[in-house]
Amino acid sequence: MTTNELLNRLKYQLKQLEQEVLQHDANLPAGQRKMMQDVERFNNELFVQEGAQLKPCIDQLSKSVAQLQQLINAKRSPYTIVSSCEKIQDRFSAVRRALSTTNINLKSLEQQKRTRRAHAIKRGAKTHQQSGFSWIASNVMQNSHQLYEELNKHLNWAKIIEQKIENLQSSLEYCHSADKIRLQNEILAQHSRLGKCRQATSYIEDRIQLFERPFKGQNR
C-alpha cells in the first residue's frame, strides 16, 4: 500500500468514526453529560479531552491526519511516517473503546454517587442523633421537601410563641399581684421554648444548605 493509499484509508476511517461520534454525542442526555463533565477518559498523550462528548477527539484526530499528509508531502523518512501512522491508529482505537464504554463509565459513576449518598445519609443520621434535635424525625433530614416543611413549621411555632409572650406581658401589667409570679414564670418558660425553636430553625436551615450541595466537585 502506497503512502497516499494509506492516507486516503485513514481519511475514510476518520469520516466513518466522526459519524459514530456525532451520533454518540447527540444521544447523550444532559444529565449524563453533566455527570461526566469532569471525567478524563484518555491518556493526555492521546487526547486533551474531558467529559462524555467525544467530538473534541475527532477534531484532534483530523489535525493528526493533516500533519501526516504534510509529512508525506515533505517526503519525510519512512520511520517518521510509520511512527505517525501508529499514533493515529492508537487514537482511533482509543475513541472506539470510549464509544463502547460510555455506558460502563456512567454506571460506575452512578454507583459511586449512590455509595457517597448512602455514606452521607449515614453520617448525617449519626450527626443528627448527636445534635440535640433528635426529636425531629431522621427521615426529614433526608428529604429537601420535608426539610422545608419542617422549617415552615418551626417558623410558624416561633410566631405563635412570640404572640403568646406578647399577650402574657400585656396581662402582666394589669394582673393581680398574686398572679404576677405565675405569669412571670410562664413568660420565662415561653422564652425558653422560643429559644429552642429558633435554634432548631437555624439547625434546619444549615441542613438545607448541606442537602442542596451534597456532592459538588465529587464527579472526578
Side-chain angles (χ1 to χ4, degrees):
M1 182 183 297
T2 66
T3 52
N4 283 330
E5 288 174 338
L6 176 61
L7 186 61
N8 288 334
R9 182 177 177 181
L10 288 174
K11 288 179 179 178
Y12 177 73
Q13 289 177 342
L14 179 60
K15 203 69 180 173
Q16 284 186 315
L17 187 61
E18 182 178 18
Q19 294 308 309
E20 292 179 49
V21 164
L22 290 174
Q23 185 175 358
H24 166 274
D25 289 357
N27 290 339
L28 283 170
Q32 292 183 353
R33 290 200 300 271
K34 185 175 181 180
M35 187 182 297
M36 294 185 67
Q37 65 185 358
D38 296 323
V39 175
E40 296 178 3
R41 304 182 67 189
F42 300 96
N43 184 310
N44 286 338
E45 292 180 1
L46 291 172
F47 296 107
V48 178
Q49 183 268 354
E50 289 183 354
Q53 293 176 293
L54 300 174
K55 180 61 167 60
C57 299
I58 295 298
D59 297 336
Q60 292 172 60
L61 254 173
S62 296
K63 290 180 181 177
S64 295
V65 172
Q67 288 169 355
L68 174 62
Q69 184 161 18
Q70 291 174 358
L71 293 176
I72 292 172
N73 292 343
K75 300 185 184 305
R76 297 294 294 274
S77 69
Y79 173 81
T80 301
I81 292 172
V82 168
S83 178
S84 178
C85 287
E86 287 175 349
K87 288 179 180 178
I88 290 172
Q89 287 296 347
D90 287 344
R91 289 182 171 184
F92 272 117
S93 298
V95 174
R96 291 194 183 97
R97 188 162 55 249
L99 283 169
S100 65
T101 57
T102 295
N103 287 335
I104 295 173
N105 289 330
L106 284 166
K107 287 178 181 178
S108 175
L109 288 168
E110 286 168 357
Q111 181 59 46
Q112 291 173 29
K113 185 177 179 180
R114 284 194 295 269
T115 300
R116 288 196 302 268
R117 183 162 184 77
H119 287 162
I121 288 173
K122 188 175 179 180
R123 287 195 304 271
K126 184 177 180 181
T127 302
H128 178 56
Q129 289 301 315
Q130 298 171 347
S131 68
F133 299 101
S134 56
W135 44 272
I136 302 174
S138 292
N139 63 302
V140 170
M141 297 295 109
Q142 300 165 24
N143 184 300
S144 62
H145 179 70
Q146 288 182 308
L147 277 169
Y148 277 106
E149 286 185 348
E150 195 71 21
L151 178 61
N152 287 331
K153 189 191 300 182
H154 280 77
L155 290 172
N156 288 333
W157 283 345
K159 288 179 182 177
I160 292 170
I161 296 170
E162 287 169 352
Q163 185 61 53
K164 193 165 186 179
I165 290 171
E166 189 176 324
N167 293 340
L168 286 167
Q169 286 175 335
S170 296
S171 300
L172 187 63
E173 294 180 18
Y174 305 103
C175 74
H176 191 276
S177 59
D179 293 326
K180 277 193 174 183
I181 293 177
R182 179 182 60 80
L183 285 174
Q184 287 171 343
N185 287 336
E186 179 64 18
I187 290 170
L188 287 173
Q190 292 301 325
H191 273 294
S192 178
R193 287 183 60 199
L194 181 60
K196 289 179 181 178
C197 191
R198 285 173 174 166
Q199 287 176 352
T201 298
S202 296
Y203 172 71
I204 295 167
E205 287 172 342
D206 289 343
R207 299 294 294 188
I208 288 172
Q209 288 185 8
L210 288 172
F211 190 92
E212 291 184 343
R213 58 169 193 275
F215 309 119
K216 193 173 286 186
Q218 293 187 24
N219 285 335
R220 281 192 178 273

